[in-house]
Amino acid sequence: MSWHDERFKDGRQRPAAALLRGAGLLISQRTAGGHRAYDLCAPDVVRDIRMLLAAGLPTRTIREVLPCVENRGTTVGDCMADRLRDRLTELETQLADLAATRDALASLLTDSARLAALDSVA
C-alpha cells in the first residue's frame, strides 16, 4: 500500500502521523521498545504542515516550503515566496476556469428551461 492510501484494506483509517511520515514530512525514530519517538518540535512541524495543507498545497510542495515556515507557522520566508505566488496563480486560473464552466452549465440549463416553457405553450 502506498502512503497516500488513507484507509487500510479492512476500512481502518491510517493515523495522520503515518501519512505525514510516509510523505517524508514528519521524522520519527524507534525506541528500544519499538514505539515511535518524535523530536520535541514535532507538534510545531505538524501545525505548520496543517497550515500549508489548509492553504491548498500538495505534500510535494510542502516538502519544499516547510523549511521556510517562520513565525510559529504564520508566514513563509522569502526563500519560497515565488513558489507560493506561482501556486496562487495556478489556483486563480483553476478558479476562473471553474467559474466559466459553471456559467456555461447555468446558461445551458436556462436555455433548456426557456425552450421547455416555449414547447409547453405551443
Side-chain angles (χ1 to χ4, degrees), residues 9-117:
K9 288 183 180 182
D10 65 1
R12 291 179 297 133
Q13 183 114 8
R14 289 192 64 164
L19 295 173
L20 297 177
R21 281 193 316 272
L25 298 173
L26 190 61
I27 308 300
S28 68
Q29 296 178 0
R30 293 282 186 174
T31 66
H35 299 287
R36 293 199 182 272
Y38 298 92
D39 287 341
L40 292 176
C41 65
D44 295 332
V45 172
V46 170
R47 179 204 57 230
D48 296 346
I49 292 168
R50 286 182 175 165
M51 184 245 342
L52 295 168
L53 286 169
L57 297 177
T59 55
R60 66 181 177 279
T61 303
I62 291 174
R63 261 192 304 279
E64 298 171 30
V65 174
L66 197 55
C68 296
V69 173
E70 301 172 344
N71 299 322
R72 296 191 45 85
T74 60
T75 61
V76 175
D78 291 339
C79 61
M80 278 291 150
D82 289 339
R83 177 76 172 98
L84 293 180
R85 279 189 205 94
D86 290 344
R87 179 66 180 144
L88 181 59
T89 300
E90 290 172 13
L91 288 173
E92 288 170 345
T93 299
Q94 291 173 357
L95 285 169
D97 292 345
L98 192 55
T101 301
R102 180 202 59 219
D103 292 347
L105 180 58
S107 177
L108 178 65
L109 288 170
T110 301
D111 293 346
S112 297
R114 190 176 308 123
L115 286 174

